Amino acid sequence: MCRQSATVCLIKSPSPATRELSVLTHRLTALPDPRDRRGRRHSLVAVLLTAACAVLAGARSYLAIGQWARHAPRHTLVRLGIRAHGPLGVRTPPSASTLRRVLVAVCPGGLADLLGTNPAGTDTVAVDGKTARGSRTDTQAAAHLLAAVTGTGHTVTQLRVPTKTNEVTGFARLLAPFDLTGVTVTADDLHTRRDHARHLIEDKNAHYLLLVKGNQPRLHAALRSLPWSQVRARRYDRERGHGRRETRSTPVLTVTDLHLDFPHVVQAAKILRHRTDVRTGKVTRQTVYVITDLTARQASPQKVAHLARSQWTIENRLHFVRDTTFAEDASKIRTGHGPENMATLRTLAIDTLRRAGNRSIAAGLREISYAPHTRPLDLLRLP
């Protein structure tokens, strides 16, 4: 069944073989068309490809996507799969209304899975949520989207958290379709739960590295009381950038004999961060505790520090970019599955630009703007 609990819109989740197809067009054929069969002029795949290319060209709304499609030349429409009609073989692009109806109704879980990255064989997968603030209405809360991102910054999938609940209920459903054998899943303190740890270790054959804060008071107090000053196995990192200097100390301790009340925990770490504002000289200090099932042989202090820092990848390389480059929080798309499907298309654009070698997504969008009806199709490898 579709993992979106609010609306059952996909009878069966896309199979691993379908998700791993190299051609985007072939992957999208697995999605069921939510429209009535009568009166369809454009195929579902053609409409979705049109929307994906328009967002990759910088479109932020249904109207902007429709404008991009309306100005598309004939050769672009052919590559998108727009059908020819009439004796003259005229190809008419989908209108903004058609694009909106499809994006509001198409299965968001299936679309996110089919446009995402396969996490099998990756080192880490970070899980975190983001609220699309502009999708809030007088009667409905803003859409909250839970996403999974690999350590290299490529999105695996996302799903919308149902109203009147939180990210906790969506954690297992988010990762359910994927093979995570040997992958270390990182998450913030909201997901530092015993059932999540058991699910990752016993059901998914994965590893975990979880942050511990005040929402787990006994575990947090137990970690604070450990003899950190006597630990010799530690990692130091120093960085400078964004107007500040930062020093991080990461002592790591094996805790298997300390009887911490958490399943499968083997190591704990205390990450102490000192930040100095270069301009003002102000110093801030922050202490964060993490726990993991990885042994000392599997994860040295250097690797534990790297895994903990990979959790911030999802914020820096996905959520922040969607906010600043695509103005996601300012978007007023709020009907049906529109918020999550548009977020999926923005994520696809970010991943596509990164695979093309763009370190700056904003710069990559400017490059595409010089050839908006050819460059997006080339980057998506449409024939």
Side-chain angles (χ1 to χ4, degrees):
M1 300 291 285
C2 174
R3 291 174 294 135
Q4 303 291 332
S5 62
T7 304
V8 179
C9 49
L10 187 64
I11 301 303
K12 188 177 181 180
S13 296
S15 66
T18 302
R19 294 197 303 266
E20 294 171 9
L21 291 174
S22 58
V23 181
L24 178 60
T25 305
H26 296 165
R27 296 203 301 273
L28 292 177
T29 56
L31 282 175
D33 196 328
R35 300 171 294 173
D36 191 280
R37 291 185 178 182
R38 294 173 295 178
R40 292 183 195 172
R41 172 174 290 187
H42 307 286
S43 69
L44 178 65
V45 173
V47 175
L48 293 176
L49 290 178
T50 300
C53 290
V55 172
L56 189 50
R60 299 181 180 180
S61 65
Y62 298 139
L63 181 60
I65 295 173
Q67 289 175 332
W68 181 92
R70 188 169 64 250
H71 293 284
R74 184 178 183 278
H75 65 83
T76 297
L77 299 179
V78 172
R79 295 178 66 183
L80 290 172
I82 304 299
R83 298 167 183 158
H85 295 278
L88 298 179
V90 177
R91 299 179 189 268
T92 304
S95 65
S97 298
T98 298
L99 291 158
R100 177 183 60 80
R101 284 195 299 269
V102 169
L103 291 176
V104 163
V106 75
C107 174
L111 184 64
D113 288 353
L114 292 170
L115 298 183
T117 300
N118 183 6
T122 60
D123 189 27
T124 64
V125 168
V127 175
D128 197 11
K130 176 189 180 299
T131 300
R133 302 182 187 279
S135 62
R136 178 183 177 183
T137 66
D138 293 337
T139 58
Q140 186 175 357
H144 191 77
L145 308 176
L146 185 63
V149 176
T150 67
T152 55
H154 298 298
T155 302
V156 176
T157 188
Q158 74 169 16
L159 60 80
R160 182 171 180 170
V161 177
T163 308
K164 299 182 181 180
T165 183
N166 58 28
E167 297 178 17
V168 172
T169 60
F171 184 84
R173 290 188 295 116
L174 178 76
L175 303 175
F178 304 100
D179 180 12
L180 298 176
T181 303
V183 178
T184 301
V185 177
T186 66
D188 60 18
D189 58 299
L190 184 63
H191 298 287
T192 305
R193 297 171 55 89
R194 290 159 180 79
D195 54 341
H196 287 181
R198 293 190 184 95
H199 173 67
L200 290 173
I201 301 298
E202 300 169 11
D203 300 333
K204 305 298 290 184
N205 295 318
H207 302 288
Y208 67 77
L209 185 136
L210 304 171
L211 276 65
V212 179
K213 294 184 180 178
N215 62 333
Q216 294 278 353
R218 292 185 179 180
L219 182 60
H220 187 259
L223 293 176
R224 288 185 61 185
S225 65
L226 295 179
W228 296 109
S229 60
Q230 303 175 24
V231 177
R232 296 184 180 180
R234 64 180 63 223
R235 168 74 177 181
Y236 289 97
D237 293 285
R238 293 178 176 86
E239 292 182 356
R240 178 166 181 159
H242 305 286
R244 64 175 181 260
R245 295 192 304 270
E246 181 173 324
T247 301
R248 294 186 300 276
S249 170
T250 310
V252 181
L253 186 65
T254 299
V255 294
T256 50
D257 296 331
L258 301 182
H259 307 290
L260 292 181
D261 184 21
F262 202 85
H264 305 288
V265 62
V266 176
Q267 291 193 101
K270 176 183 178 181
I271 303 175
L272 180 61
R273 294 200 293 258
H274 291 270
R275 290 181 178 176
T276 304
D277 190 294
V278 176
R279 185 175 61 85
T280 64
K282 181 181 178 180
V283 179
T284 58
R285 173 176 170 171
Q286 182 183 23
T287 301
V288 177
Y289 296 96
V290 299
I291 54 176
T292 180
D293 70 301
L294 295 168
T295 65
R297 188 180 296 274
Q298 293 172 313
S300 64
Q302 179 179 0
K303 183 169 183 179
V304 170
H306 169 73
L307 292 173
R309 193 157 179 80
S310 69
Q311 173 60 25
W312 304 323
T313 299
I314 191 170
E315 177 63 33
N316 297 336
R317 306 196 69 183
L318 179 63
H319 296 161
F320 179 77
V321 176
R322 288 204 323 229
D323 276 344
T324 57
T325 306
F326 290 95
E328 183 169 87
D329 280 348
S331 173
K332 297 302 180 182
I333 294 174
R334 56 186 67 167
T335 307
H337 297 310
E340 53 264 49
N341 284 333
M342 282 297 293
T344 295
L345 295 180
R346 296 182 191 112
T347 299
L348 174 65
I350 294 170
D351 287 353
T352 302
L353 288 171
R354 286 225 170 90
R355 289 193 179 93
N358 293 278
R359 298 185 62 183
S360 169
I361 302 303
L365 290 176
R366 288 194 296 271
E367 286 287 339
I368 290 178
S369 68
Y370 304 134
H373 290 105
T374 57
R375 184 63 175 156
L377 285 76
D378 295 339
L379 290 176
L380 291 176
R381 300 180 182 178
L382 299 183

